[in-house]
Amino acid sequence: MPNITTEHYSQLYEGLNTHFTTQGYELSLYLTQDQQELELQFIQRIAAKRDYAVITVSCLENADRYYQTLKSDNDRVILGYRRPSGAGQYLSPDLEQAGQDLADMLMTKNYHHIGLFTNWQKNTHSQALKQGLLKRFKQRRYQVDLVHAESNSQDNTYNLAFNFFSEDKNKVKLDAIITSDIERAHYIRNASYLGSTEPCPPIYTLADNRFINEDNIYQYHMNYGMLSKQIVDLIATQ
């Protein structure tokens, strides 16, 4: 995994760890910090251990290195959230539907200038969220100005949040900002407080099924725990 501080990665790990440890299995965790060289080193370690199955949120461009190095059936490598080229088994929550639902919410508010703050767009789940938004706006023939910022590390994410509140006089004031996780929502609110004299626009964020009461942050609840169950069920059938 890239990390276990991001909400949806944490939920995935906790769900998998709870199931496998209670069943007497060993679950080894490797954190790549989105570094390809580190992930390649971990693949070599996994190959030496000859684990039964591998579950990965990969930062590689191509999944072939898993299949070539592990010399196992494609069914034994399960990719989540991100789908590199050549991927076999792939599972992810329906982020495109989430994007469509969020677009419906924004249209009811008559918001036309929207910020979007996500992980790298090359990551499948970030692509799906944006595609869902744009697809729904297009279906409704709804004119929208979408400003998208994408980040790939914690430091970069914190700093990038301030770009939504630059002092550029020609910059259009945003009606609302969508974030792909609660961590980015907090970065946006912090950047607004420190970097702008204007009130922070409403923030719409993906979040797990825990309710958090925070002013001006509206949560779209995702059942992230369902992904770990789907992975467990898939492994059980192999």
Side-chain angles (χ1 to χ4, degrees):
M1 287 187 179
N3 61 71
I4 53 171
T5 56
T6 301
E7 185 177 41
H8 45 281
Y9 299 151
S10 174
Q11 290 283 319
L12 176 58
Y13 173 70
E14 288 177 9
L16 293 171
N17 188 55
T18 297
H19 172 81
F20 287 120
T21 55
T22 56
Q23 297 297 316
Y25 294 98
E26 176 188 346
L27 182 65
S28 301
L29 175 64
Y30 302 90
L31 299 179
T32 67
Q33 306 300 331
D34 272 329
Q35 300 296 316
Q36 292 191 11
E37 286 301 318
L38 192 55
E39 183 168 345
L40 293 172
Q41 292 175 27
F42 289 152
I43 293 173
Q44 294 291 342
R45 290 192 200 177
I46 293 168
K49 288 182 61 182
R50 302 181 64 85
D51 289 326
Y52 177 77
V54 178
I55 303 158
T56 178
V57 181
S58 178
C59 64
L60 300 181
E61 300 288 342
N62 194 297
D64 287 346
R65 185 63 68 92
Y66 277 94
Y67 308 126
Q68 294 167 358
T69 305
L70 301 178
K71 296 181 173 59
S72 64
D73 296 336
N74 289 12
D75 291 347
R76 299 288 176 87
V77 179
I78 302 169
L79 295 108
Y81 285 109
R82 304 174 181 179
R83 190 174 197 171
S85 62
Q89 296 279 10
Y90 170 75
L91 293 170
S92 179
D94 193 346
L95 274 299
E96 183 171 332
Q97 183 61 55
Q100 293 185 34
D101 292 343
L102 286 167
D104 289 336
M105 295 179 192
L106 298 177
M107 286 188 287
T108 63
K109 299 291 186 180
N110 201 33
Y111 293 153
H112 290 271
H113 303 290
I114 312 298
L116 176 63
F117 195 22
T118 69
N119 206 310
W120 275 353
Q121 192 177 345
K122 73 173 187 177
N123 295 337
T124 312
H125 57 304
S126 296
Q127 292 176 17
L129 178 62
K130 184 177 182 180
Q131 288 170 357
L133 283 167
L134 295 178
K135 180 178 180 179
R136 181 66 91 223
F137 289 139
K138 184 176 181 180
Q139 288 174 342
R140 300 289 187 266
R141 297 182 180 178
Y142 187 86
Q143 293 297 317
V144 65
D145 175 26
L146 187 67
V147 178
H148 184 198
E150 47 188 304
S151 60
N152 66 321
S153 70
Q154 189 170 6
D155 290 342
N156 178 243
T157 300
Y158 177 84
N159 294 325
L160 196 58
F162 285 87
N163 289 359
F164 287 100
F165 306 101
S166 70
E167 296 299 325
D168 185 352
K169 293 181 179 180
N170 296 320
K171 195 168 187 177
V172 176
K173 181 180 177 182
L174 296 175
D175 298 319
I177 299 176
I178 299 169
T179 65
S180 57
D181 53 72
I182 196 72
E183 182 180 37
R184 281 179 172 78
H186 290 154
Y187 286 150
I188 287 291
R189 189 169 62 180
N190 183 67
S192 173
Y193 178 77
L194 296 176
S196 175
T197 58
E198 299 289 334
C200 184
I203 302 169
Y204 291 78
T205 184
L206 302 184
D208 67 9
N209 53 11
R210 292 172 293 183
F211 179 77
I212 302 173
N213 186 17
E214 298 193 41
D215 291 341
N216 216 34
I217 295 181
Y218 303 93
Q219 299 166 71
Y220 179 91
H221 293 289
M222 302 287 296
N223 188 357
Y224 291 128
M226 183 59 68
L227 180 59
S228 59
K229 184 179 184 305
Q230 291 173 333
I231 292 173
V232 166
D233 291 345
L234 182 60
I235 293 175
T237 61
Q238 295 175 358

